[in-house]
């Protein structure tokens, strides 16, 4: 049976604020824990008023404090934005507070625009150092050696598990070389999914962290009692994609009855391409969609994105998804 996990974009809804979004994430994680989900991740985004997880490690602490057993982590930290030692200190602290429950997914994209990247005091060339930064970070989490003068306190010895995230074959190659679990962002970048999985599995080298390849794929799944209701709920996500194409960074909007009145044919085509692996529907539709996706990809784990405006309906969506397995 494929494992189920959740990626929460910590969306700020129209009519609410960042605290509401963070509290909703914490509450939803508690529901996910009871439903048997494996992990609950949030991602680093900057200069986006509609996403409340920019300070990712603090958001993770808030969620972990409201749960007891589900793994909580980053999907991911955009490592070129940070000195590895700082990330080690943050996630080492989380691991001390919530032992055995913290994951650290790492991406090499900036997760923002170039103006914001400059405000973060980082350089576009930092992405070139990504493999070395991952190794440096890994060393900080290992047990300190006698006489070691530089330590990321209190990270040493916590062995926080690292994941490599990607939307191309680059991350697959690195994850395979380092023997790390791999998560592919097919929830918005479906094109390289199958080539990336093939590269990862065929080139994987066992490591101390992982003996065999473990591939997780991101997938948009929105479930409701009927196909029609799920498709209506999905218009919130579809409008968000249309707004991105327009350069608008607004708050999450309530669903509408007819998405065709909102987007242009070009926006519809672009969104349809990016959302190609999405599953919207009733319990039966979701069950069949998951079975087909797992059969085609051999995924060990699904990282579910369920971008629903109403918090109660979002929790119900996660319930239906869990019940489908």
């Amino acid at each position: 049976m494929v494992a189920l996990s959740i990626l929460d974009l910590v969306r700020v809804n129209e009519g609410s604020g960042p605290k509401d979004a963070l509290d909703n994430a914490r509450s939803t994680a508690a529901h996910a824990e009871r439903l048997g989900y494996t992990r609950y991740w949030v991602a680093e985004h900057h200069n986006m008023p509609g996403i409340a997880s920019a300070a990712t490690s603090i958001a993770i602490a808030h969620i972990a404090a409201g749960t007891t057993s589900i793994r909580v982590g980053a999907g991911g930290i955009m490592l070129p934005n940070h000195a590895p030692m700082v990330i080690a200190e943050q996630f080492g602290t989380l691991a001390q507070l919530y032992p055995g429950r913290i994951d650290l997914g790492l991406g090499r994209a900036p997760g923002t625009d170039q103006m914001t990247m400059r405000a973060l005091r980082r350089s576009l060339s930092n992405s070139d150092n990504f493999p070395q930064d991952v190794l440096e970070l890994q060393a900080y989490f290992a047990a300190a050696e006698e006489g070691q003068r530089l330590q990321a306190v209190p990270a040493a010895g916590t062995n926080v598990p690292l994941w490599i995230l990607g939307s191309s074959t680059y991350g697959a190659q690195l994850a395979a070389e380092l023997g790390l679990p791999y998560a592919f962002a097919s929830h918005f970048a479906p094109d390289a999914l199958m080539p990336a999985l093939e590269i990862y599995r065929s080139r994987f080298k066992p490591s101390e962290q992982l003996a065999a390849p473990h591939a997780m794929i991101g997938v948009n799944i929105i479930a409701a009692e009927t196909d029609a209701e799920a498709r209506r709920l999905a218009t919130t996500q579809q409008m968000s994609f249309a707004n991105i194409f327009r350069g608008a960074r607004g708050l999450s909007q309530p669903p509408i009855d007819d998405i065709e009145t909102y987007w242009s044919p070009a926006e519809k085509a672009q969104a349809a391409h990016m959302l190609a692996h999405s599953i919207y529907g009733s319990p039966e539709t979701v069950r069949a969609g998951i079975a087909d996706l797992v059969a085609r990809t051999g995924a060990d784990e699904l990282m579910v994105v369920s971008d629903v405006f109403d918090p109660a309906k979002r929790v119900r969506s996660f319930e239906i998804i869990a019940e489908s397995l």
Side-chain angles (χ1 to χ4, degrees):
M1 183 182 294
V2 66
L4 283 177
S5 295
I6 292 171
L7 174 62
D8 190 345
L9 299 180
V10 196
R11 294 278 193 186
V12 181
N13 288 344
E14 288 186 350
S16 67
K19 185 179 187 304
D20 300 301
L22 290 163
D23 287 345
N24 283 337
R26 176 167 162 152
S27 173
T28 303
H31 284 290
E33 184 172 80
R34 290 190 288 271
L35 292 168
Y37 282 83
T38 301
R39 60 190 96 243
Y40 198 97
W41 283 4
V42 297
E44 175 187 350
H45 294 87
H46 299 282
N47 195 26
M48 299 187 72
I51 296 180
S53 55
T56 313
S57 60
I58 298 176
I60 290 169
H62 182 61
I63 293 166
T67 54
T68 58
S69 60
I70 194 170
R71 298 193 67 89
V72 186
I77 289 293
M78 301 299 105
L79 195 51
N81 293 341
H82 310 278
M85 185 172 181
V86 172
I87 297 303
E89 290 170 342
Q90 292 175 0
F91 280 78
T93 301
L94 288 169
Q96 297 287 354
L97 293 171
Y98 309 102
R101 296 182 55 206
I102 300 300
D103 297 326
L104 177 51
L106 301 168
R108 68 187 287 261
T112 189
D113 56 81
Q114 291 194 24
M115 178 181 68
T116 307
M117 190 169 59
R118 287 193 294 270
L120 291 166
R121 303 295 192 268
R122 305 302 284 166
S123 165
L124 192 61
S125 64
N126 289 344
S127 296
D128 299 335
N129 302 323
F130 185 65
Q132 293 78 18
D133 286 350
V134 172
L135 291 173
E136 181 181 345
L137 190 56
Q138 201 170 40
Y140 287 134
F141 288 124
E145 299 179 359
E146 185 176 351
Q148 181 176 328
R149 297 182 62 188
L150 178 63
Q151 295 186 38
V153 180
T158 57
N159 295 308
V160 172
L162 304 184
W163 290 67
I164 300 297
L165 314 184
S167 57
S168 68
T169 57
Y170 177 92
Q173 296 175 57
L174 182 61
E177 178 66 27
L178 299 181
L180 297 176
Y182 177 57
F184 188 89
S186 47
H187 57 293
F188 69 86
D191 289 346
L193 172 60
M194 299 309 291
L197 292 178
E198 194 281 328
I199 287 172
Y200 173 61
R201 291 169 177 146
S202 65
R203 302 185 186 180
F204 182 83
K205 298 179 181 179
S207 67
E208 289 186 18
Q209 180 177 329
L210 195 64
H214 184 97
M216 176 165 64
I217 62 174
V219 56
N220 301 294
I221 307 179
I222 294 177
E225 307 307 326
T226 66
D227 286 350
E229 174 62 9
R231 287 194 295 268
R232 182 178 183 277
L233 295 178
T235 60
T236 291
Q237 184 181 60
Q238 292 166 334
M239 287 187 288
S240 293
F241 272 78
N243 291 340
I244 290 172
F245 305 148
R246 298 169 187 176
R249 301 186 179 188
L251 305 185
S252 188
Q253 299 168 267
I256 57 177
D257 292 329
D258 185 5
I259 187 63
E260 304 301 332
T261 64
Y262 190 85
W263 57 16
S264 69
E267 290 166 346
K268 177 181 180 179
Q270 192 171 357
H273 177 76
M274 296 178 72
L275 299 171
H277 293 306
S278 301
I279 303 168
Y280 306 141
S282 66
E284 295 76 17
T285 299
V286 168
R287 186 178 301 113
I290 290 176
D292 175 68
L293 182 63
V294 173
R296 286 189 289 111
T297 63
D300 301 294
E301 190 169 343
L302 299 182
M303 178 62 76
V304 177
V305 180
S306 198
D307 194 1
V308 176
F309 184 85
D310 184 298
K313 292 182 179 180
R314 185 163 181 256
V315 167
R316 179 58 184 149
S317 178
F318 287 129
E319 288 176 349
I320 293 172
I321 294 165
E323 291 164 0
S324 72
L325 293 182

